[in-house]
Amino acid sequence: MYLLVENIRQEAPEDASGWNTQRETFRIELAFPSNGEEPFAHLLFTMVTKFCSGHSPHFPMKKVLLLLWKVLLFTLGGFSELQRMKEQKRADLSLPSLSEDSIQVMKNMKATTPPSYGIELGEQQKRGRRSRRDSLDLYNEKDPFKSDESTGAEEEENEDSENMMDAESDMQERELMSQPLSALRNNTEKICFPKGLPWAPKVRQTDIEDFLDMSRNKFIGFTLGQCGEEDVEETATECLFRAMLVNIPQYMIALLKILLAAAPTSKAKTDSINILADILPEEMPVTVLQSMKLGIDVNRHKEIIVKSVSALVVLLLKHFKLNHIYQFEYVSQHLVFANCIPLILKFFNQNIMSYICAKNSISILDFPSCVVHELPELTAESLESGDNNQFCWRNLFSCINLLRILNKLTKWKHSRTMMLVVFKSAPILKRALKVKQAMMQLYVLKLLKLQTKYLGRQWRKSNMKTISAIYQMVRHRMNDDWAYGNDIDARPWDFQAEECTLRGNIESFNNRRYEKNPNWEFSPVDNCLQSVMGQNLQLPEDFHCTYELWLEREVFSNPIQWEDLLQYS
């Protein structure tokens, strides 16, 4: 089923018109339920929860998650389709077109190289620092972050562990240096990077609306009411959210359980789920070759699970955010409640360079080469050497996805940003900057930018290279004093009230749009005077003949306590 979906999903210029019609028909059958059935993606989500609850431990979860990822990619659309839908929605609302495509901007970015100061150069000479290149240097510049001073009070307790990881990274880089890179250098085209800042500055719509509301209330004492009704477009995303709505908390918990079990930093526990049931043999290996093959297969199995879970969560968040912001907030809040933030930080609290350069695949056993070609004899030496890839794109893809999830959960949420500070994410994220890949560095710097104002002056003073990199790579926003803690956002905040208010707004949205009986007893009441007075009511045809009698009976004959009314207005 995975191969069917993936092959049908791929488009080619030479495809016949009949094939394109069949592809669209297949996409509609998967996305939109018919004859009372549920969307296919919802069925796969149900399999995930049954597996995690222990009711169906025999499900091949790696294949289920891969199929779920590709079904979401096919039915909802990828990043290019998201960009097209954004443009279409802006055109429908008479908004100007987007000035830039984020993916294209990131493609043209390079890993930043902050300037070196005289003192730092002297320190490097004393340490006898040698120049070295790793495989990602083919696309980027030298690592700008390894000589960052980390003398802040928050990082002193992690100094020993960081030194150990640095030593392991150095050994990893020595191994990479000894490997031939001439072939890749010859095939690598020279990339011309644009000069100047990569992003155009922006201002939040919320900041504009807050300013206008404050001006209206200050000068004319008037506020706009909330809109009562809305037109709901029947899209694939809308159908999927409606089907998932009741069980979204269970789905998010199940995905995070699987991600925790597949993380390389997690330890095996008796109460954890068994994600290796479909690859473990009935009899344990007895030879060294069998043990090595099984170990590589287990690690590869976990890496694929991490890749599929991270990719499908990113797709869900992006599509729900485009469809309606409260759908995105609902899924995000349940991810936060299920401890997604500390889980991702735990994932990155490892030697991330070693994880990205891991070689847990046997190319001759991969599909379809294992079917097309004759299998050579496997030896322990050939398994140790691995494939010829200098780094694992699968693990790099997973790391970028997890960083994007963390950014989406914490962006403009002060309570969740404080969770990053409380869990001491700054040294963990700084270690991830050693990966010299522009897109990954960008999302790491975004997370550091969120919490810079909360880390204190000493941290900013000892991490000026990181501050400079943020200025160089991350988008600038109006009225965003992110580098200093002198605005209202850096003061003590009622974080619990912030989440409760958001949760109340989400529940009101779900009740308003998805409640089958809109006149039920606990439906939300509109208490805004302007909103109530502005509603369009359906009046009977003869009302204009009898409205004077209605006024006399309903208004003039009833006593009105004006003092009480003005007191609560």
Side-chain angles (χ1 to χ4, degrees):
M1 294 175 71
Y2 170 84
L3 292 175
L4 280 172
V5 173
E6 180 63 11
N7 280 276
I8 296 175
R9 185 182 70 87
Q10 300 291 340
E11 298 182 13
E14 62 272 10
D15 289 343
S17 58
W19 177 245
N20 292 329
T21 304
Q22 293 179 357
R23 179 189 293 113
E24 182 63 19
T25 303
F26 182 54
R27 188 190 70 83
I28 293 175
E29 290 177 351
L30 290 179
F32 297 95
S34 59
N35 300 325
E37 297 177 353
E38 58 186 356
F40 185 57
H42 183 241
L43 174 64
L44 296 175
F45 271 113
T46 306
M47 294 180 65
V48 174
T49 55
K50 287 183 178 180
F51 173 80
C52 291
S53 62
H55 296 300
S56 302
H58 57 282
F59 283 164
M61 195 42 50
K62 181 188 74 174
K63 298 179 176 63
V64 172
L65 291 170
L66 281 172
L67 178 60
L68 176 57
W69 170 32
K70 294 300 182 179
V71 168
L72 291 178
L73 199 60
F74 182 37
T75 57
L76 305 185
F79 291 152
S80 58
E81 184 69 15
L82 270 167
Q83 186 72 12
R84 188 196 63 79
M85 289 190 289
K86 285 181 183 179
E87 294 285 358
Q88 183 62 42
K89 284 184 178 290
R90 293 182 69 89
D92 295 341
L93 297 173
S94 301
L95 294 174
S97 60
L98 293 171
S99 59
E100 58 193 9
D101 185 354
S102 300
I103 300 297
Q104 296 301 322
V105 173
M106 284 185 283
K107 283 182 178 179
N108 295 326
M109 293 176 65
K110 63 177 181 179
T112 183
T113 308
S116 297
Y117 301 99
I119 299 176
E120 295 169 355
L121 289 174
E123 292 178 354
Q124 292 177 5
Q125 291 174 359
K126 289 180 180 178
R127 289 194 297 264
R129 185 182 177 89
R130 54 183 174 81
S131 62
R132 53 197 179 206
R133 297 175 62 89
D134 66 9
S135 52
L136 290 177
D137 278 338
L138 297 174
Y139 310 97
N140 304 291
E141 295 292 331
K142 278 190 48 151
D143 184 1
F145 299 99
K146 286 192 176 177
S147 60
D148 262 11
E149 295 85 2
S150 55
T151 57
E154 296 86 358
E155 303 180 25
E156 290 180 355
E157 60 187 69
N158 299 324
E159 185 176 355
D160 295 336
S161 60
E162 288 186 27
N163 291 337
M164 293 176 62
M165 291 188 176
D166 289 342
E168 294 177 4
S169 298
D170 292 342
M171 293 177 63
Q172 188 76 30
E173 292 184 9
R174 293 193 195 99
E175 294 177 2
L176 289 171
M177 278 188 60
S178 62
Q179 298 172 357
L181 298 178
S182 56
L184 284 176
R185 286 198 186 97
N186 295 332
N187 296 329
T188 304
E189 298 180 358
K190 186 176 181 180
I191 301 174
C192 297
F193 296 103
K195 295 182 179 180
L197 296 177
W199 303 99
K202 287 176 64 173
V203 61
R204 278 198 305 167
Q205 183 70 20
T206 306
D207 295 333
I208 299 176
E209 293 175 354
D210 291 343
F211 173 76
L212 294 176
D213 288 339
M214 181 184 66
S215 301
R216 292 190 194 100
N217 193 31
K218 179 179 179 180
F219 295 106
I220 58 178
F222 176 77
T223 56
L224 291 177
Q226 299 293 328
C227 180
E229 298 181 358
E230 57 184 339
D231 296 329
V232 181
E233 184 181 359
E234 193 70 6
T235 61
T237 307
E238 184 67 29
C239 291
L240 179 61
F241 184 83
R242 188 187 304 114
M244 293 174 59
L245 177 61
V246 179
N247 296 315
I248 278 181
Q250 287 76 18
Y251 296 152
M252 297 302 109
I253 291 174
L255 289 176
L256 294 182
K257 278 186 176 180
I258 295 174
L259 183 61
L260 175 63
T265 56
S266 62
K267 298 179 181 179
K269 297 181 180 179
T270 55
D271 56 344
S272 62
I273 56 178
N274 183 15
I275 60 174
L276 306 176
D278 54 333
I279 65 166
L280 291 178
E282 296 181 359
E283 298 181 358
M284 295 305 295
V286 293
T287 64
V288 176
L289 180 63
Q290 292 176 347
S291 300
M292 292 178 63
K293 181 181 176 182
L294 180 60
I296 293 174
D297 203 22
V298 166
N299 292 332
R300 171 180 170 273
H301 187 84
K302 290 183 177 181
E303 290 173 1
I304 294 175
I305 289 178
V306 172
K307 175 183 178 180
S308 56
V309 171
S310 62
L312 69 91
V313 172
V314 168
L315 277 179
L316 283 178
L317 292 176
K318 290 187 73 70
H319 279 282
F320 286 153
K321 187 175 183 179
L322 181 62
N323 196 58
H324 198 287
I325 186 61
Y326 279 137
Q327 294 177 351
F328 163 80
E329 296 290 0
Y330 186 57
V331 175
S332 299
Q333 197 165 61
H334 282 289
L335 284 172
V336 174
F337 291 161
N339 290 328
C340 182
I341 293 177
L343 172 58
I344 295 178
L345 293 177
K346 180 181 179 181
F347 182 91
F348 280 93
N349 192 19
Q350 59 170 316
N351 189 342
I352 204 67
M353 277 295 297
S354 176
Y355 180 73
I356 289 179
C357 297
K359 298 180 180 180
N360 290 316
S361 60
I362 307 172
S363 57
I364 59 177
L365 296 182
D366 289 342
F367 183 84
S369 60
C370 62
V371 179
V372 178
H373 304 291
E374 294 184 2
L375 292 180
E377 183 180 357
L378 288 177
T379 62
E381 290 76 14
S382 62
L383 292 182
E384 282 184 352
S385 61
D387 52 24
N388 295 323
N389 295 327
Q390 305 298 321
F391 43 85
C392 181
W393 283 113
R394 174 173 62 227
N395 292 348
L396 182 62
F397 176 78
S398 302
C399 291
I400 294 175
N401 284 337
L402 292 174
L403 290 170
R404 298 184 74 170
I405 294 170
L406 204 55
N407 269 285
K408 290 186 177 299
L409 295 183
T410 55
K411 189 176 182 180
W412 305 117
K413 301 291 191 302
H414 305 292
S415 59
R416 301 174 189 176
T417 304
M418 284 304 299
M419 292 180 67
L420 296 177
V421 179
V422 170
F423 290 122
K424 298 183 178 180
S425 63
I428 298 175
L429 295 172
K430 278 191 60 181
R431 285 200 296 269
L433 286 172
K434 296 179 180 179
V435 179
K436 287 168 284 209
Q437 205 277 340
M439 183 179 290
M440 183 169 173
Q441 282 188 352
L442 173 66
Y443 290 111
V444 172
L445 292 172
K446 281 186 175 184
L447 289 168
L448 289 171
K449 177 186 175 183
L450 289 177
Q451 52 182 316
T452 298
K453 67 178 69 174
Y454 303 104
L455 294 176
R457 180 183 298 178
Q458 180 61 34
W459 187 90
R460 294 193 292 269
K461 183 178 178 182
S462 58
N463 291 273
M464 287 307 297
K465 281 191 174 181
T466 306
I467 301 293
S468 300
I470 293 174
Y471 270 111
Q472 182 180 353
M473 295 186 67
V474 183
R475 186 195 302 274
H476 297 272
R477 291 182 176 270
M478 309 299 181
N479 302 326
D480 184 15
D481 195 8
W482 60 270
Y484 306 98
N486 55 2
D487 60 348
I488 191 171
D489 292 340
R491 299 173 187 172
W493 198 270
D494 192 355
F495 299 129
Q496 189 174 4
E498 185 184 30
E499 290 288 346
C500 290
T501 302
L502 178 60
R503 189 172 188 177
N505 294 337
I506 293 171
E507 291 178 353
S508 299
F509 163 76
N510 290 337
N511 292 332
R512 183 179 69 250
R513 180 179 279 199
Y514 302 108
E515 181 58 41
K516 295 181 180 179
N517 181 15
N519 298 320
W520 68 314
E521 183 180 359
F522 299 103
S523 60
V525 179
D526 191 354
N527 294 320
C528 180
L529 179 62
Q530 285 82 11
S531 177
V532 174
M533 297 297 292
Q535 291 180 2
N536 295 324
L537 300 178
Q538 297 294 331
L539 300 175
E541 296 180 356
D542 59 343
F543 182 76
H544 67 281
C545 299
T546 60
Y547 79 94
E548 293 181 351
L549 180 61
W550 180 84
L551 286 173
E552 183 66 31
R553 184 178 71 247
E554 299 293 338
V555 180
F556 299 142
S557 62
N558 290 331
I560 299 176
Q561 303 294 333
W562 292 104
E563 290 80 6
D564 296 340
L565 183 62
L566 292 174
Q567 181 180 358
Y568 293 105
S569 63

